[in-house]
Amino acid sequence: MSEEPVEGPGARTRDGSPVELYRRLAHLGEVERFAQLVPPSHTILELGCGAGRMTRELLARGHPVTCVDNSEDMLALLPPGARKVLADIETLDLARTFDMVLLASCLVNVPEAGLRQRLVAACRRHLEAEGLLVFERQDPAWLEEAVVGPAGSIGAIDVFVDRVERRGDEVEMSLRYRDAADEWTHSFLASRIDDAAMAELLEAHGFGAPTWLDPRRRWGAAMVRE
C-alpha cells in the first residue's frame, strides 16, 4: 500500500486504526444480529475486540467474554468484567474452548490468504464441538462499487471514501471519518471474498455452510461440523 498521512487525534494500532475513533463508535445493534443464537450463559471469545463496542453489550446480556486484541491502547478501553488478552489472533492458543467465537471488523478480508487461513484456524481451535462462529466480512458488492465521496454514517460519525483502487479482487481504500469535533483517516487493503469463497474457507477448517444474518450478507454464522 502506498504511504498515507496519518491524521486525527489519538494513538494508532499496528494496522493504522485510530483508537480514539473506535472509542467513540457506538454499538449499532450488531449483537442483535446473532443474540438469538447464543443463550446468555454461553461463553464468548471476541477476537479483535477493539475498544469494546460489542463487548459492553455482550456483558450486559450476561455472557462471560474473553477479549483479544494486539493493541494495549484498545484493551485499556474495555469495560470491567471482560477478560483481556494481548495477543495476535493468528497465533493465539488459550488452551481452552468457548461456546462462541466472534470474528468481527472484517478481519476475514485480510489480503494475505495464508493469514486468512490462520485466523479461521484460530477460531476453530477455540470452539467447543458444537460451537458457533460469528463473523463479519466486507460486503463484496460494496468493495466492487464504492466510489470516492460520502459513504454513509456510523451513528454520529460521517464516513467518506477519499481514495479507492482495485486490482483484481484486491481493493485499496482510504476512508475519512468525521464527527462534530474531529476527523480521522484510515487506509487499508482488503480482498473481496464472495459467498463461494467464504463457504470454502469455512469448510476447510471444519465448519458447516454459513447462515447469513443480514440482507447485505456482511454478517454470518457457521457451526462446527460434527
Side-chain angles (χ1 to χ4, degrees), residues 142 146-153 158-162 175-176 178:
W142 185 74
V147 296
V148 171
S153 61
D158 295 319
V159 185
F160 305 85
V161 176
D162 283 349
L175 297 182
R176 180 164 42 94
R178 186 175 67 198

Side-chain angles (χ1 to χ4, degrees), residues 37 181 193 207:
L37 303 176
I193 302 176
F207 292 98

Side-chain angles (χ1 to χ4, degrees), residues 17 21 23 27 29-30 39 48 58 74 78 86 94 104 117-118 121 137 140 159 163 168 204-205 211 218 221 223:
S17 298
L21 168 64
R23 186 186 72 80
H27 175 257
E30 296 94 338
L58 293 170
M74 289 290 198
L78 291 179
L86 178 66
L94 297 177
Q117 296 283 343
R118 293 191 295 275
R137 69 168 178 177
V159 185
R163 182 175 62 88
H205 293 281
T211 298
R218 281 177 49 94
M223 296 285 296

Side-chain angles (χ1 to χ4, degrees), residues 102-139:
L102 175 60
L103 185 70
S105 300
C106 302
L107 291 172
V108 295
N109 291 96
V110 293
E112 183 190 338
L115 176 55
R116 193 180 312 134
Q117 296 283 343
R118 293 191 295 275
L119 291 174
V120 178
C123 296
R124 176 61 188 90
R125 67 174 168 265
H126 287 96
L127 275 169
E128 298 280 359
E130 296 182 355
L132 178 72
L133 169 64
V134 173
F135 61 90
E136 179 188 17
R137 69 168 178 177
Q138 294 279 8
D139 177 358

